């Protein structure tokens, strides 16, 4: 008998595959879908600050049950930047009790977005704050010395974002800021001056009422000192200027929203870390000229496609400078504009 003949009489049911146990695949049990919950019960909250993946948000702002809670970002928002000033849709535990976390599931449409880049060639933007409608630029009259070019960049960033700029000059007891301020003659720019014993808190506070104002400035100019004076419970760290380098030490390490309360009402102060550079690689160059409102009026007479650079043919700005129609500070103003335009090396389109 051949061995091939063995087993012919065996019961074929012994090898029925139906008896095999298959471990279920949990990922295959539920079909994938792009549908997301509607979160109809979500509550709108103001993002006050961000710290290591945790968001401090204010729920029921100005309401009877106003409270501060902690939240995390929902998985579907992992690629969406959430910044101070955002209006977030929040679900989950919104009691604010210790140890509880809510979840941010969406961001409301922003009215403005203030950004900067590492340098003028970097197209990667760093979002500073959302939904601000004012920018208060803080600069010192001395110690450290004021930098006109840096302030110009702040102004360009503000105008590009559709934010109204304001200017505070601190430490005027150390130096006369008149020459520095002459650089901004002709701009629609409200200016406040401050000394150690004479801080214009009432005037600055009145400008903050009803607005969301982002404070920006070089390290060491006294920005945090001003914030603490306006918002006594802010407790923002203050520093000093290095006597060797002339540079301020970074004290504020994060952007945070603080409520200002004055006699005329309330507003929001958004304090930001001090910066020594403010790249404009993200800015639409068509908005640069708009920040120099006095020059923009004259530039309307320029030919179509004028670059407004020193070698631009038939440029109305260069002709006005040569004819002395820009005033005593016009040369410096035009130089600031042209330096910014040369940085990008791009042409403006026809003026609106």
């Amino acid at each position: 008998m051949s061995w091939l003949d063995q087993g012919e009489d065996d019961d074929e049911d012994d090898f029925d595959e139906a008896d095999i146990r298959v471990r279920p695949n949990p990922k295959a049990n539920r079909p994938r879908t792009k549908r997301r919950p509607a979160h109809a019960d979500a509550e709108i909250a103001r993002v006050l600050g961000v710290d290591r993946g945790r968001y401090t948000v204010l729920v029921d702002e100005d309401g009877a049950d106003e409270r501060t809670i902690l939240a995390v970002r929902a998985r579907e928002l992992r690629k969406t930047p959430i910044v101070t000033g955002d209006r977030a849709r929040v679900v989950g535990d919104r009691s604010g009790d210790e140890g509880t976390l809510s979840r941010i599931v969406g961001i409301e449409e922003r009215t403005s977005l203030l950004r900067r880049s590492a340098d003028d060639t970097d197209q990667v933007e760093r979002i500073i704050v959302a939904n601000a409608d004012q920018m208060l630029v803080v600069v010192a009259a001395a110690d450290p010395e004021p930098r006109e070019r840096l302030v110009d960049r702040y102004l360009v960033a503000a105008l590009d974002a559709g934010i109204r700029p304001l200017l505070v000059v601190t430490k005027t007891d150390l130096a006369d800021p008149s020459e520095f301020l002459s650089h901004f003659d002709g701009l629609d720019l409200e200016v406040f001056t401050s000394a150690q014993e004479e801080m214009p808190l009432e005037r600055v506070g009145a400008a903050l009422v009803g607005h969301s104002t982002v404070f920006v400035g070089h390290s060491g100019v006294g920005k945090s000192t001003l914030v603490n004076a306006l918002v006594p419970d802010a407790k923002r760290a203050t520093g000093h200027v290095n006597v060797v380098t002339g540079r301020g030490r970074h004290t504020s390490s994060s952007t945070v929203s603080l409520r200002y309360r004055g006699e005329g009402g309330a507003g929001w102060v958004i304090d930001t870390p001090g910066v020594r550079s403010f790249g404009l690689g993200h800015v639409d160059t068509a908005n640069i000229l708009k920040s120099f409102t006095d020059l923009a009026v004259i530039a309307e007479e320029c030919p179509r496609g004028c670059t407004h650079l020193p070698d631009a043919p038939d440029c109305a700005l260069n002709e006005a400078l040569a004819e002395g129609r820009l005033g005593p500070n016009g040369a410096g103003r035009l130089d600031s504009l042209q330096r910014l335009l040369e940085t990008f090396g791009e042409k403006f389109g026809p003026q609106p």
Side-chain angles (χ1 to χ4, degrees):
M1 179 182 292
S2 171
W3 64 270
L4 292 174
D5 296 330
Q6 296 179 5
E8 289 183 353
D9 297 332
D10 293 342
D11 187 356
E12 293 182 359
D13 291 340
D14 293 342
F15 301 97
D16 186 358
E17 294 183 356
D19 292 338
I20 299 175
R21 297 183 62 186
V22 178
R23 180 177 297 176
N25 182 353
K27 293 185 178 180
N29 290 342
R30 293 177 298 176
R32 299 186 64 182
T33 176
K34 292 184 178 180
R35 297 180 62 184
R36 295 289 184 265
H39 297 302
D41 62 335
E43 194 168 358
I44 303 300
R46 177 189 291 269
V47 178
L48 300 180
V50 184
D51 182 19
R52 292 171 292 184
R54 295 291 187 266
Y55 301 86
T56 302
V57 300
L58 184 68
V59 180
D60 193 28
E61 182 176 340
D62 296 326
D65 196 24
E66 179 181 286
R67 62 200 180 279
T68 300
I69 65 176
L70 282 179
V72 294
R73 177 201 304 258
R75 180 181 301 177
E76 56 265 33
L77 297 181
R78 62 185 180 276
K79 294 184 179 180
T80 302
I82 303 176
V83 299
T84 301
D86 267 326
R87 306 285 293 176
R89 296 193 295 276
V90 182
V91 299
D93 192 332
R94 290 162 287 182
S95 64
D97 295 339
E98 185 176 356
T100 61
L101 277 177
S102 58
R103 190 167 83 258
I104 297 176
V105 296
I107 298 297
E108 296 289 277
E109 183 177 356
R110 293 154 169 165
T111 58
S112 68
L113 198 60
L114 180 63
R115 304 161 293 167
R116 75 179 183 96
S117 58
D119 54 52
D120 293 331
T121 61
D122 186 1
Q123 296 299 318
V124 179
E125 64 187 39
R126 279 74 167 169
I127 300 176
I128 300 175
V129 66
N131 299 322
D133 62 338
Q134 290 189 150
M135 172 196 282
L136 184 69
V137 181
V138 184
V139 61
D143 191 30
E145 294 298 318
R147 297 166 54 188
E148 293 91 347
R149 302 289 182 257
L150 180 59
V151 176
D152 283 340
R153 289 173 172 272
Y154 285 136
L155 298 178
V156 169
L159 270 295
D160 178 70
I163 297 174
R164 177 195 177 205
L166 308 168
L167 178 64
V168 172
V169 183
T170 64
K171 306 182 184 181
T172 55
D173 50 320
L174 301 181
D176 185 355
S178 299
E179 183 177 353
F180 166 76
L181 290 175
S182 66
H183 178 76
F184 307 101
D185 287 347
L187 281 177
D188 183 16
L189 180 65
E190 186 172 4
V191 178
F192 308 90
T193 57
S194 174
Q196 185 174 5
E197 302 297 334
E198 299 178 4
M199 298 182 70
L201 299 181
E202 291 186 3
R203 288 187 58 217
V204 174
L208 302 179
V209 173
H211 297 282
S212 181
T213 307
V214 53
F215 283 45
V216 298
H218 190 290
S219 303
V221 297
K223 177 170 58 65
S224 295
T225 300
L226 178 61
V227 170
N228 288 337
L230 291 166
V231 187
D233 58 349
K235 299 179 181 178
R236 298 294 276 176
T238 58
H240 63 279
V241 177
N242 189 301
V243 295
V244 177
T245 65
R247 292 183 173 182
R249 180 172 61 88
H250 292 290
T251 51
S252 300
S253 59
S254 61
T255 300
V256 62
S257 289
L258 306 163
R259 178 174 268 146
Y260 167 78
R261 298 187 186 278
E263 293 183 0
W268 287 97
V269 169
I270 306 172
D271 190 21
T272 63
V275 296
R276 297 191 180 105
S277 63
F278 205 93
L280 300 176
H282 63 283
V283 168
D284 180 357
T285 54
N287 291 328
I288 296 179
L289 180 60
K290 294 179 182 179
S291 68
F292 294 80
T293 52
D294 52 330
L295 301 180
V297 174
I298 300 175
E300 293 177 357
E301 303 173 7
C302 288
R304 181 183 297 270
C306 181
T307 64
H308 310 301
L309 296 177
D311 58 352
D314 301 321
C315 176
L317 291 172
N318 292 328
E319 292 177 355
L321 177 64
E323 296 169 3
R325 291 189 284 116
L326 295 185
N329 303 310
R333 302 272 307 130
L334 182 57
D335 178 63
S336 292
L337 171 63
Q338 291 175 339
R339 281 175 179 267
L340 291 175
L341 297 181
E342 287 173 344
T343 298
F344 296 95
E346 297 179 5
K347 294 183 179 181
F348 278 103
Q351 302 302 315

